Amino acid sequence: MLADSYGRVATDLRVSLTDRCNLRCAYCMPPEGLDWLPTPELLTDDELLRLITIAVQRLGITEVRFTGGEPLLRRGLAGIVARTAELDPRPEISLTTNAIGLARTAATLREAGLDRINVSLDTLRPETFRKLTRRDRLPDVLDGLAAAAAAGLAPVKVNTVLMRDLNDDEAVPLLRYCLERGYELRFIEQMPLDAQHGWRRDEMVTADEILTALRGEYDIAPDDERERGSAPAQTFLVNGGPARVGVIASVTRPFCGTCDRVRLTADGQIRNCLFARTENDLRGPLRAGASDAELAERWRRAVAVKLPGHGINDPSFLQPDRPMSAIGGLRMTGGITPFRFEVIVLAGGGAVRLAGKDKPGMLVGGMSLLESVLAAGAGAQRAIVVGPAREGVPGVLFVSERPPGSGPVPALRRGLAEVSTSWVAVLAADLPFLRDVHLAALLRAAEENGTGAVLADDTGHAQWLAGCWRSAALRAALDGYAGGSLRGVLGPLEPTLLRLDPGPGEAPPWLDCDTPEDLESARRLVP
């Protein structure tokens, strides 16, 4: 069996079949996706089944859950399920999915031997789904849920993460939707597993908040705790039962002491916890000719040193290097940047030094200057562009200067009037080499400072139109300022001057395109 030094025995194996996903959730990855694992590094079907067989027949695993990424993207999934179902003893087989494609595969997977299914669904609002996932696929998810129920993959469980100021008002509608259809809903506290390491506890919707919201509409009473066992979800009876709702409070109510899970990644690494910062390689020995007995022993040694808990609440906690899609399991949230923010892009004025030309529309590396800056701010809740409206730039709020060409301080006031978040990035529409990672670093520096942070160039001078600020501090500074200089209004706030040196082959993020010479220099720096 797989026992650790704290007396816990792992009987539940979570198997990641791929790190790829067909959604681009804003809290999980950038629009273009992540760098996927190279195919040669992934376990083949035969390698995967060999390790699952060892786990079931030699190590006492009784449940196998297939995860991703998105496991429906794994070619041959039905065959993997069928071969797992043929094992003796037969494990319980389940799947966690975003349900895109499930409508056409649910029946096949059921016939192959799949017992249960969990579907990730965070919203019932199409516009919120599009904002979250950057895809218009909500009908596919709902159809997949219905197909799973029709195929007999019961109980159909729905996993939901509530995010503050985005879908935290949907607890009751989601529960009502699931109750009406016989699905079992489980709310999950968001956890620090985003690719960009941007999770913040103070922005997490807690289990207590979720239960308070539900109790405003339903009678919610704790279920018999003896029935929970090692399950991560604490269940509650709805209106006296038999309907139930679950809450997985991994952060505020850790359940590490009863954990019975172990994880196998798509590239053959053993992980004892979602938050483990160490892994144990089985793929290498497997491909080097290790016997089943040798692989089983390696697995036992890996689990034996499992830590007592995930340590999220410890000040020394560090997020794992792997993002959620490369580990597999419940979907968690975070963000491309440390916290929720909006971005103001100043894109007006007459571009005097460029002979009145349309500076934001000028191309560097095949992308307009405005598009480059908006891409850097893709993790923002909203982009507010102060300047003329443009076609072909979706999802952006354009607001006009009043009066046109009045200068950066009035333009900043105009944009700030539209901001609703506690933090805001203020950027010029002429920074072709600014990236999301630079913006994330600025936001972290601004939070540490308490008020703001701006990029510093290679001479240490501030790039005032490349900064992040606490919105309230910025409003207060503008309210008492009658001048027209950005330095005059921003300098007294004493922001952190953050110098981010470019890496090999990279252009400096502070480089702007204020003159024809700047523009030509930028174009020469494009690889």
Side-chain angles (χ1 to χ4, degrees):
M1 63 180 180
L2 291 170
D4 65 36
S5 60
Y6 296 90
R8 296 166 298 189
V9 177
T11 58
D12 184 342
L13 175 62
R14 308 295 171 99
V15 180
S16 174
L17 297 178
T18 178
D19 63 326
R20 297 174 184 266
C21 189
N22 44 12
L23 296 180
R24 295 292 181 270
C25 294
Y27 53 69
C28 183
M29 63 179 74
E32 65 275 15
L34 300 170
D35 291 330
W36 309 126
L37 292 169
T39 299
E41 294 186 10
L42 298 177
L43 294 175
T44 66
D45 291 1
D46 288 342
E47 290 172 335
L48 195 66
L49 264 298
R50 183 180 173 195
L51 292 177
I52 293 173
T53 300
I54 291 171
V56 170
Q57 296 184 342
R58 291 175 176 262
L59 299 173
I61 290 296
T62 59
E63 179 179 353
V64 176
R65 175 178 294 277
F66 293 113
T67 69
E70 175 44 55
L72 294 182
L73 295 179
R74 174 83 182 217
R75 293 182 179 179
L77 172 61
I80 293 171
V81 171
R83 291 172 66 182
T84 303
E86 292 171 355
L87 294 176
D88 185 17
R90 184 197 189 280
E92 183 179 18
I93 306 170
S94 55
L95 181 83
T96 297
T97 173
N98 63 27
I100 293 177
L102 186 60
R104 64 175 181 274
T105 58
T108 300
L109 291 171
R110 182 72 179 103
E111 292 171 3
L114 188 65
D115 298 308
R116 294 189 296 104
I117 201 156
N118 288 47
V119 172
S120 300
L121 175 66
D122 297 327
T123 179
L124 295 171
R125 296 191 294 248
E127 65 277 11
T128 303
F129 189 91
R130 285 192 294 270
K131 186 172 184 179
L132 275 169
T133 67
R134 301 188 177 101
R135 299 290 188 270
D136 190 12
R137 305 296 296 273
L138 179 58
D140 296 306
V141 177
L142 301 183
D143 289 347
L145 276 165
L153 292 168
V156 174
K157 294 185 178 180
V158 174
N159 295 338
T160 294
V161 177
L162 296 182
M163 288 147 279
R164 202 170 301 283
D165 301 326
L166 185 60
N167 67 337
D168 55 350
D169 59 340
E170 290 195 71
V172 169
L174 281 161
L175 179 55
R176 184 182 303 116
Y177 180 87
C178 291
L179 291 175
E180 290 172 351
R181 290 158 179 80
Y183 307 153
E184 291 188 10
L185 178 61
R186 306 191 310 172
F187 291 99
I188 306 166
E189 288 182 339
Q190 71 177 71
M191 291 194 283
L193 286 165
D194 55 296
Q196 294 81 13
H197 290 204
W199 178 84
R200 284 174 54 87
R201 178 171 179 145
D202 59 358
E203 294 197 353
M204 178 189 75
V205 180
T206 67
D208 287 343
E209 291 176 276
I210 294 166
L211 292 170
T212 297
L214 296 179
R215 285 174 174 141
E217 185 78 15
Y218 298 99
D219 176 22
I220 302 293
D223 198 359
D224 187 346
E225 189 68 18
R226 291 171 297 181
E227 298 295 323
R228 180 179 181 181
S230 61
Q234 181 182 4
T235 58
F236 298 82
L237 298 175
V238 181
N239 292 340
R244 289 170 170 80
V245 63
V247 178
I248 299 177
S250 302
V251 178
T252 61
R253 305 175 187 179
F255 42 84
C256 302
T258 57
C259 178
D260 65 351
R261 287 165 293 286
V262 64
R263 297 176 182 275
L264 176 64
T265 67
D267 57 346
Q269 309 301 306
I270 293 298
R271 296 179 66 89
N272 284 325
C273 177
L274 280 170
F275 304 97
R277 294 187 58 82
T278 59
E279 300 175 337
N280 294 86
D281 180 32
L282 291 183
R283 184 194 62 200
L286 184 153
R287 292 181 177 177
S291 67
D292 288 359
E294 290 169 335
L295 292 171
E297 183 56 31
R298 283 178 175 270
W299 207 326
R300 289 190 191 94
R301 290 200 301 267
V303 172
V305 296
K306 182 174 181 174
L307 296 176
H310 53 48
I312 292 176
N313 299 305
D314 190 295
S316 64
F317 173 75
L318 293 174
Q319 288 188 223
D321 295 326
R322 281 188 190 245
M324 188 67 237
S325 65
I327 298 173
L330 301 173
R331 277 190 310 128
M332 307 302 163
T333 63
I336 197 165
T337 45
F339 34 76
R340 294 169 61 82
F341 74 106
E342 291 177 300
V343 59
I344 298 171
V345 180
L346 303 189
V352 175
R353 298 185 198 178
L354 288 168
K357 293 180 180 178
D358 176 24
K359 180 166 67 170
M362 290 185 170
L363 299 180
V364 173
M367 183 180 290
S368 74
L369 292 174
L370 177 59
E371 289 172 330
S372 294
V373 174
L374 290 175
Q381 301 305 304
R382 182 172 59 163
I384 302 160
V385 176
V386 184
R390 298 168 184 269
E391 295 182 357
V393 187
V396 172
L397 173 65
F398 284 95
V399 296
S400 59
E401 291 183 282
R402 295 177 181 172
S406 55
V409 174
L412 180 55
R413 281 196 178 96
R414 182 76 177 94
L416 193 59
E418 303 292 338
V419 170
S420 60
T421 52
S422 299
W423 294 89
V424 60
V426 179
L427 307 173
D430 65 349
L431 299 164
F433 304 115
L434 186 72
R435 299 291 182 262
D436 53 5
V437 292
H438 305 134
L439 208 54
L442 276 169
L443 280 164
R444 291 189 179 93
E447 184 193 28
E448 292 176 3
N449 175 278
T451 299
V454 295
L455 278 183
D457 64 18
D458 53 351
T459 66
H461 291 96
Q463 169 58 279
W464 294 107
L465 280 177
C468 296
W469 305 90
R470 188 179 292 277
S471 302
L474 202 53
R475 288 191 178 95
L478 285 167
D479 286 346
Y481 185 71
S485 162
L486 275 178
R487 180 178 180 179
V489 69
L490 299 178
L493 294 177
E494 299 184 350
T496 296
L497 296 183
L498 183 65
R499 179 168 171 174
L500 298 173
D501 293 325
E506 296 180 349
W510 63 80
L511 181 67
D512 58 18
C513 294
D514 225 16
T515 67
E517 292 75 21
D518 293 339
L519 194 62
E520 288 307 311
S521 295
R523 287 169 173 164
R524 287 195 296 269
L525 287 171
V526 176

